[in-house]
Amino acid sequence: MNENRTILKTRNLEIGYAGKRRRPVFSNINLVAGEAEIIALVGQNGIGKSTLLRSLTRLQKSLSGDIFIYNKNLEEYGRLELAKTIGFVSTEIVHISNLTIFDLVGLGRFPHTNWLGRMRENDIRSVRNAINLVGLKHLAYNNINEVSDGERQRAMIARTLAQDTSLMILDEPTAFLDLPSKYEIIHILTELSRTKERTIIFSTHDLNIAMQEADMIWLMLPDRIMSGSPEDLVLDNSFSNIFANSKLHFDSDTGDFRMKRRPAENIYLYGKGKSLYWTQRALERLGYNLTDNRNSETAIRLEEEAGKRTWILQKKEKILKLKSIYELSLHLKK
């Protein structure tokens, strides 16, 4: 990556806790983030994701090594200059009485206001624009304690937007959210990266979201951090390392994470279209091994006519016509 495209870079970084007993969490971290990239930080619980993000924002002092923002050492930034450069959204849920969304987002303007903290017309405009960008215009004057978790998380992102930084770092922005809210939040971040040219780094446990939306993944393994596009990490089998000692298996052909199961028996499946794909998924979930052997003891044929689907199960000499994958699953379990 060209230096003029680099926003953040670490060199031999060691993170952890420095007190009476120095406790390193992760060492030899060498990472690069470029302009307008969205980067997902992925790793197991307790591996050090939050510690790394807090170190990158100087909320937690690193043990050794260097962090550069725009080729300037992080330690050389003044407090106000840093606040104009990096915005941070914590995983903690905000509960403040009598604070509206507008007021919360307005707090993001603190690096740009005068010493009294009084907002001028351009500050108010920035706050309104940030609220509009995250889709909270209709809730701008609602109390922050009276909105959903997803709306509260949007407000926190809007606060960082109002801060007007080129680098946004978010620790588990989709934690505690339902599935639609998770994708809405990530969609907002992706749009900000593409339309506002923000570099966004976020940690997540949701590998599907990371693989679908991130330009780059920082994959924290016990002994190193792998970095690359989601597709690069699939091709070099990096994801398999996460689950080496677990019951999960990463299928590099489909990009799916599945439970490791011992195949129960062989099944010959034939048909076409969407029904074939989802029947195959169901059979794999149940632990069956799909075979090309037409003489298999168990066979399933899919038929579809006038929008009606039928699953014809043949096991030994017995033939059953079933109306759904659920019915098929019940009979196979017997």
Side-chain angles (χ1 to χ4, degrees):
M1 182 178 293
N2 296 331
E3 288 297 314
N4 63 344
R5 288 277 298 161
T6 300
I7 283 187
L8 180 147
K9 179 171 66 174
T10 68
R11 184 173 63 194
N12 301 327
L13 184 67
E14 184 179 46
I15 59 174
Y17 303 92
K20 292 182 179 178
R21 290 194 306 170
R22 188 176 185 274
R23 185 161 66 89
V25 171
F26 218 99
S27 304
N28 196 32
I29 301 171
N30 294 282
L31 297 167
V32 176
E35 291 178 351
E37 284 189 330
I38 183 160
I39 298 172
L41 175 63
V42 175
Q44 294 179 339
N45 281 337
I47 202 165
K49 298 189 298 297
S50 294
T51 304
L52 174 57
L53 295 185
R54 291 176 65 84
S55 299
L56 295 179
T57 57
R58 213 170 69 186
L59 290 171
Q60 183 168 332
K61 188 171 178 60
S62 54
L63 299 181
S64 64
D66 298 292
I67 301 169
F68 299 95
I69 308 293
Y70 288 112
N71 299 318
K72 179 178 177 179
N73 198 297
L74 186 64
E75 296 301 318
E76 297 175 8
Y77 278 82
R79 186 181 67 85
L80 196 60
E81 183 186 14
L82 189 61
K84 291 180 179 180
T85 307
I86 302 176
F88 180 70
V89 178
S90 168
T91 191
E92 298 171 5
I93 297 176
V94 175
H95 292 290
I96 305 175
S97 300
N98 302 319
L99 185 72
T100 67
I101 286 176
F102 185 92
D103 293 333
L104 174 66
V105 177
L107 295 175
R109 292 301 299 169
F110 78 92
H112 308 281
T113 56
N114 58 32
W115 64 277
L116 290 173
R118 185 175 297 158
M119 289 200 296
R120 297 178 290 271
E121 186 177 338
N122 67 306
D123 297 309
I124 294 172
R125 191 182 307 117
S126 293
V127 171
R128 286 175 177 162
N129 287 341
I131 290 172
N132 291 346
L133 278 171
V134 299
L136 290 180
K137 182 179 180 180
H138 62 298
L139 297 174
Y141 296 101
N142 283 44
N143 191 300
I144 192 66
N145 284 341
E146 297 173 352
V147 298
S148 69
D149 288 343
E151 289 161 345
R152 190 182 296 111
Q153 195 71 314
R154 288 190 191 199
M156 295 300 295
I157 293 171
R159 178 184 61 80
T160 306
L161 277 175
Q163 196 173 330
D164 198 22
T165 61
S166 54
L167 176 60
M168 293 174 60
I169 296 179
L170 306 96
D171 191 5
E172 290 284 351
T174 61
F176 317 118
L177 302 181
D178 59 26
L179 190 61
S181 297
K182 283 184 179 185
Y183 276 90
E184 286 172 9
I185 292 294
I186 297 302
H187 176 72
I188 289 169
L189 296 177
T190 304
E191 286 299 301
L192 290 173
S193 176
R194 291 173 181 168
T195 62
K196 302 297 179 182
E197 297 188 343
R198 307 289 174 94
T199 296
I200 296 171
I201 303 170
F202 71 98
S203 61
T204 181
H205 285 97
D206 195 319
L207 287 165
N208 286 323
I209 284 179
M211 291 185 65
Q212 290 177 31
E213 300 297 333
D215 298 310
M216 178 177 285
I217 291 178
W218 291 348
L219 178 61
M220 292 187 80
L221 302 172
D223 58 342
R224 65 196 185 282
I225 300 179
M226 306 289 293
S227 64
S229 76
E231 295 78 15
D232 288 329
L233 295 179
V234 169
L235 290 173
D236 65 15
N237 294 318
S238 293
F239 284 117
S240 300
N241 293 321
I242 307 180
F243 310 112
N245 299 313
S246 76
K247 293 182 178 180
L248 273 178
H249 163 71
F250 177 73
D251 188 335
S252 59
D253 292 330
T254 63
D256 290 332
F257 300 89
R258 301 178 183 177
M259 295 295 293
K260 294 175 183 174
R261 290 186 174 93
R262 208 175 276 174
E265 63 177 276
N266 293 331
I267 285 184
Y268 176 63
L269 172 67
Y270 56 109
K272 59 182 180 180
K274 190 186 295 184
S275 299
L276 177 67
Y277 172 77
W278 287 106
T279 304
Q280 179 179 332
R281 290 284 295 262
L283 293 173
E284 289 171 349
R285 172 172 54 80
L286 293 169
Y288 288 93
N289 181 53
L290 298 179
T291 177
D292 293 329
N293 182 7
R294 292 174 176 267
N295 298 319
S296 177
E297 190 175 88
T298 305
I300 299 168
R301 184 174 81 252
L302 301 180
E303 291 185 351
E304 187 167 350
E305 187 175 347
K308 294 181 68 175
R309 301 182 183 93
T310 304
W311 286 258
I312 300 172
L313 172 63
Q314 181 174 349
K315 193 162 188 177
K316 296 182 179 178
E317 302 300 321
K318 189 175 183 180
I319 297 177
L320 290 171
K321 290 189 176 182
L322 306 166
K323 297 180 180 178
S324 69
I325 293 176
Y326 176 68
E327 283 188 9
L328 174 66
S329 301
L330 290 180
H331 281 280
L332 288 174
K333 284 183 176 181
K334 291 178 182 179

